[in-house]
Amino acid sequence: MGGKNKQRTKGNVRPSSSGRAAELLARESGVVPGFVGFGISTSNDPGYVPAVHGAEEIDNLVDADFRLVLRKLSKRDAVTKLKAVQEFGAMCQERESETVKGVLPYWPRIYCRISVDHDRRVREATQQAFEQLILKVKRNLAPYLKSIMGHWLIAQCDTYPPAASAANVAFQAAFPLNKQPEALSFCKDEILSVLQDNLLKETPDTLSDPQSVPEEEREMKYLRLLTSSLLALKKLLTVLPQSDRDSLCDRLSKLIAQAKFWKYSKHKTPQIRGAFFEVVATLCEHMPDLIRAEAPRACCAVLLSIDDTDPVVLPPLWEAVLHVLASIPDCWTHVNARKGVLPKLWVLLRDGGKGLATALHPNMLPFISKLPEEVTQPKLDFYGTFFTSIIQGLSSERAVASPAEGAAIIFATVECLRFCMLQNTGEEEEQRRIRNMLISDQILPLIDGAMGSPGLQGGPLFPQVTEMLVSWEKRAGLAGESRPAEEEATFQRLLGDFWEGLGQLCVRYVDAEESEQLALEGIASLLQIMQNPESCSKKQAKKKKGKTVKISFSDLEGKEEGEEAQREAPVSHPLDGQENPSSPLKSSHLLELVCQLAELNMVYVNERNSERHIRFLSMLLGAFPSPQVFQVLLKEEPEANLLESELGPELAQNPAVHFLLQRVVVWLRQDSRKDTDFLVDMVFSVLQCCSTKAQRTLILNHLTLMDLKWSVILQIIQKACADAVCLDVCWSWMKGQVLGERLVQLAGDLCEVGLRGANVPSTASSPKHSHSWALISLVLSHQHDDDCLIGKVYVEKIIDQLHATLSEAKDISDAGNVEPLVSFISDVASTFFSSVKGCLLLASAEELLLTLFQLCAQDQSVTHLSDSLLLKLKQAFLAGVRSLVNHLGSSVTKGTFLHNAAVWVKTQVQASPLTVKSLQVLVQTVLSLVETLATGQQNGSCLLSQFICCLSPSEEEWSKLRKALPPQWVKCPLLTGRLRMTCDYPCRDTWKPKASLRLPAHLCVCALLGRVSFTAVPLDDQQEADSALLSELRHTAAEILYALQWCEEMEYSPSAVSEYHRMLQDWKLTETVRADGSMASGILKTLFSRSLEEGSLWSLTLACYVQTADLAASDIKGLYNNVESFFSLSEQSVGTVQALCPCLPAEDREAIVALSVAELLNWQEKEQDCIHSVGACLAVLHCCLKANTAVEEEILQAVMATMMEWRNSKEEWFLFNSDLAKPSVGELALCVEMMRVLCWLLDHSPTILHSAQWDFLLCSMLAWLETACDSSGAFWNPWVQLFVCQNCELIVRLSEFFAAPPAAVVDQLPPELCTEWQEFFVDGIHTMLLPLLIKVPVDFTEPDDPSFPMSVLRAVGEALTYIPVEQLTNNKLPARFVADQKSNLPDQLQTLLNTLSPLLLFKARPLQLTVYHILHKVMPLLPESDSESAHAKSEEDDGEEACLSPPAALMTILTATEELLENVLGGVQVGEFAVVQPLSVEHCCILGYLLAWKLILTFFKAAPSHLRVQYSLYLRKNRSLHKLLLHLFRLMPENPTIPVQGSESTGKEARTFFTESLSLSVSKTEGLQFEVPHLACSVYYTAVKDLPAMVRLWCNSQEKRVFSTVDKFTSKYVSSVLSAQEIASVQSSTQSFDSMTVKARSTTREVIATYSVDDIFIELVIQLPPNYPLGSVSVESGRRVGVAVQQWRNWMLQLSTYLTHQNGSIMEGLALWKNNVDKRFEGVEDCMICFSVIHGSNYSLPKKACRTCKKKFHSACLYKWFTSSNKSTCPLCRETFF
């Protein structure tokens, strides 16, 4: 309501609702209270709904809910009323009828008000609710009808159609159709009263309250009510019986006597004018006497409004015009026709009805037929003006744009012309002149105008003219009907005049050298329609029938039934009989005109060779294929003797045949002619002049043997196929021998040209052959009644030829371009397979199908076929398979298509290596074949089983395929401890896989069989499959798992393997074979048996399957009888035990431990070389220990004692001081197993180790390390790598153990053990490890080489993270120095930096991170070496600010990488995220660059403040930090949020790379894609934290876009974290100041510093900005005591300057400021340039004094003063400064 948008009172969250208030009152008191003016009247008039407490008997009939709803209906708000009406309707539908009846007394008044509501939704809902009320109360509504009927009738004429429709539905629900007049008759007086009041008395202000309703709304309601009232009056007069209309005559006469009523004809609203004219028309129709009484007003109101062109008004206006003319005989006495009516009409007609021709022009004929002679005199002028105006309307813009408008004008024009002709058939001079005028000045110019207008040519003009001529011929007696002689003579003269004029018109267009093609087409179209009116389009006929008014000249022109029947008869085709169909025009004028035009046309054809005239001739002959016309076309008599021998005597005398051979064939042979379609039409015109089919076949055979273009034959056959009659004419010719042999010859020529043109693409694809190919395709593909167009013998010959050609083309496809030929053959094959039944019964058809299959199954790189051509081949192949399915038996026999296809596919995948794409193509083709087989036949499953068996390799073939797999897979599981293998691969080249895009054959076979088998036999159907197929499926599933495991162990490298794995995932093959289906147990048994037999990769496959498949313990237990079956241990059984160990029951694991330990302890009883047996026992023992098997300490001690015994008796087993390139794999494996057992003992049972065992452990570890360091050249060997990695693992475990020994173990350790570790073993370990780290990249320079020992670097790096700093500072590395390198570092530290820093850029991530961790330990020690140098330089300060370089070795790394990074990231805009591929060259470069910067920032943070100034100045001068920050904003993600699992993210703040610490683990292998972004964020955070001033300076110097990006990113992700850390550091700071206290407020990001000395008290508030540190820190004043205002401001400015320009924390800035203030109090004077004691950036004191005024200045301030002012004078005294 009105106050909806106002501010509500606090706490009032719901808008006001009077309805809800009334509801509340009723609920609380039980009754609805009465209000003043409601229900307190004592009269019987119910007025409004009375309140319940009125105590009147009638009031109790109103239900309380109804009363509430009726009250809502009185509201002004439209939404409230709408809801109330809908609620009322629902209540009427739901409540009992007795309850609803209580509402009836109050409904009429409410209905009368809301049925004319302004809101149309309310009006519609009101009628719908009224319908529900009617359905409920039925006859009980009768007493209230009179008070309601007037508004009900008005509602039925509502201008909103849904509301009017709803009111009509309600009316029909109340009264059946036959009772409706009675109902209106019963209430007629009341209805008329309401309508009279609305039309004569009501105004906008009386209908609505001017105080509350806007003027626009009042006006709209009034206009709508006027319109509805007028329409209701019309409806009332239409429905009422005549007797009731007569009874209302007096009242209606009073109504129409009112001047206000007639003023509605000029109302500004079109709807009101339209409704008014409808009322006038209705009055004229039903009560003409009333209108005649008001004739002057009626005639003026209607006839003078004839130019009203509003679309709403015009139709009812003209209805009223025609009714007025018919009802008021003397109507023209009341208006001046020549001045007031006709001029308006002429203007309207000339303008084409102003877009309303479809409504206006159908009224023209009735209009002029009603005009009296006094209006039309003189008739000649009247008709001339009328037709000139109406024809001129055709040129109007709307008539030209709209075909419907133009057609309406044409129909009206011709109808009126015919009417005028019939009116003026006498012999009087005037009538003769009128007829001549109509023909010469109207009809013929109209036809002439149509010749240049495509719209008029395609419209109804020509058919209408033809119909007019047919009518005239009937009246002229030419149709065999007798007519009066005078009439016949008149119409014969008319026809003569017309044809004479038309002939002259046509000759004028034809007899012109540059005749317009459009005009010639128009003439041909006109003549054709005159010959055959039904040739015009059916669409036009429908328009004519549906949109125009049919005028019947009943009294003047008799339309015979026969004529109508003739016009509606179906069209007879010209070729149905021997003679042409007779034209509806019976006179000879038409044929004479055609012959005249044909003869004239031939003059231009013969003399000028006019193309336009040839086309015109073709159209003429198509409409008039008669011998007379052909005779005219021939110059001389035909020479019959020349053709009689070939065509027979009858055809030799036929002029049409002579014209064909003399003229048409010559034109067809012209090489320059491209368009021959119209010439082919001439051929069919000639055929129409032949009497028999034999003659037509003879002519066509004659044409076939002529040297015509194949495109002509193609067009003849196409036209025959397009029309059944033409097909019948040509059928004998097409099935005959002449055409068949010619087509076979053509196919051979085409194939020969295609193959010959393989080396000349332009020849093969020449347009010259395109029509020939289309012809062959057409005759093979098109069928009529399941029969080929040509003989089947010729079809077979063509197919044989095409197959032979395709086979030959397949072999030479790589030598040239045979694509056009293959495309043609594929199209032909596709249509042949699809259309010819039983085609695959031919042997050549199966061979063709196999060839298509082979082409589809090969990659395009082999076949060189385009995508579109390949698609065609696939469609042809599938069409053939679908046809083949219907003729297959139940078995795949040798030599059939399926067997041959399976053998070829098997050869493809096993013999020739395939790329992933080639494999996909092959698999997809085989799959489409299988799917077609499965869906196409009942015995398809049997065929599928046999087909899959034909595809599957034998066991021997499988074994060969597995052995052919590259062996590099061993490396990954060996180094991760998942595989124990002792086979030898001594050659280094073995570990270098050849980079190839081809896949091993085993992978190809697995993919093919898996995709085909599991698609053909889904998991759900496996139980129904036969045993042979099920066994094959299990075998295939096991091989697929083996192939997948190989891919995984190869780490999906090279790229072809990765792509292959993705392909299997896309096919969901990996999920299918691992699903818990019916085959799961069978697959498990197969894998177990293979693992026990062959071991190696089968064991890994078994382990993976056991982990991923959902298997029960009983399934595992069922694989073996008892654990003794695994013994004696072999390599295969060890792999199997390792695979099953995590799933074995505890008792079985304990039994395995007991058996293996027993064998171990009895090692001496074994054969002499028992190293393999001992290693296997240790391996099995370690597996069980890792699986948390309970083992007694005595057993572990016994194992330890056995190994110590080997140390004494079998020392060669330990390989101490050996060259690791020489021992066997078994010997290396034994050492590895011993290391693993020692690692486990150290982690889980260190208490069993006593002094001797510790000595054995530590000495063995050191000796093994020494052996490894001496054998670095053999690190390419995976078993040597494993040896080194396991040794380093043992070192890491020892380092961790001694770094923090478990509390329970410390007391049990030998007393000197920790000391020996620290003093001897640590030094020995790292003295060997550090050089080893440096030696590996020297021995192996190519990190991308597969033999590169990356795992060794990873293991050594892990061990070196525990190297002590003292050992780094006192390292024994060979000295390495760089010439001209400025450094203050000790030699050992400089050597360390020079040696390790270049390795930051080595393309091996573990090495880069190891170097970083080592250098990070020494970075805080380096600034000490620069302190003395910096102090000495400051003593010699010459004015310019001094700068120091960070460590030169690191700066060299930055310089080397900056250019590389610019090349890599230069194309990325600042703020965009550059994705870096992990472990790529770019990743290595960026990682080294960022690690170097992280080291420099660590170095910077450790430096004292005075050195930081010099370092930062150096960084600013060489723009290193500038480049860094630009690169960082390309490497940091736009949204640095760490991706988390869904469950982790709920209820927590977003974790970003700034809130989480960075893990730079050497051994990290997952999540490397986030490493560079996280590292970039870490470097940026450190930079803004430790170099805030420099970052702020850089940011402010950037362009607007970069600044905005940096500021937005920093504010959103960095500032909050950094501010919180700064505040926390202040709060947790242990630094104390004399006379100054510092406090922090975290919530407001404020730091408060209070300084007090003697009587002085200063409080400063430091506020951190939201974009800290990019924004300046603000310093605000707190309390101050005893300080002058100027001094106070200076100190605030100084603190702000320090915090802005110093690269450090807030605490460091405060300390600097306090130092400045202290100096001030100590008597040191301020520098008079910066007004500070301590310089803001280099923290120096004023030392340079002026000799004149003795004032001291900072050196940097003076330098800046001199350079900026270009003067060397003192800033104070202006004397020259010396």
Side-chain angles (χ1 to χ4, degrees), residues 1258 1261-1262 1265-1266 1269 1287-1288 1290-1292 1294-1295 1317 1320-1332 1359-1360 1362-1363 1367:
L1258 293 174
M1261 174 270 298
L1262 208 55
L1265 179 59
E1266 187 176 357
C1269 292
N1287 190 20
C1288 289
L1290 183 57
I1291 293 171
V1292 169
L1294 285 168
S1295 300
W1317 169 259
F1320 175 73
F1321 288 104
V1322 169
D1323 182 67
I1325 289 169
H1326 295 296
T1327 302
M1328 288 186 283
L1329 277 180
L1330 189 58
L1332 180 62
L1360 277 173
Y1362 296 93
I1363 186 170
Q1367 203 159 345

Side-chain angles (χ1 to χ4, degrees), residues 1002-1073:
H1002 183 273
L1003 301 188
C1004 297
V1005 176
C1006 288
L1008 172 68
L1009 285 177
R1011 180 69 166 149
V1012 171
S1013 302
F1014 289 103
T1015 303
V1017 187
L1019 290 175
D1020 302 338
D1021 301 338
Q1022 287 174 2
Q1023 295 179 351
E1024 303 175 5
D1026 56 35
S1027 57
L1029 181 59
L1030 198 57
S1031 173
E1032 200 62 53
L1033 288 177
R1034 290 173 185 159
H1035 199 118
T1036 301
E1039 294 290 348
I1040 291 172
L1041 290 170
Y1042 185 89
L1044 288 170
Q1045 195 65 35
W1046 181 85
C1047 295
E1048 183 179 335
E1049 304 306 343
M1050 288 291 289
E1051 296 179 327
Y1052 307 109
S1053 178
S1055 59
V1057 177
S1058 173
E1059 195 176 346
Y1060 171 83
H1061 185 258
R1062 281 198 302 273
M1063 178 184 73
L1064 295 191
Q1065 285 181 323
D1066 293 340
W1067 291 347
K1068 298 187 177 177
L1069 205 54
T1070 55
E1071 302 171 13
T1072 303
V1073 295

Side-chain angles (χ1 to χ4, degrees), residues 182-213:
E182 295 181 22
L184 291 178
S185 177
F186 176 67
C187 307
K188 61 182 183 299
D189 293 323
E190 288 75 11
I191 294 173
L192 193 56
S193 298
V194 172
L195 297 179
Q196 280 182 324
D197 289 346
N198 289 344
L199 294 174
L200 303 178
K201 296 181 181 179
E202 295 288 3
T203 65
D205 293 342
T206 57
L207 281 174
S208 307
D209 184 6
Q211 300 296 326
S212 57
V213 181

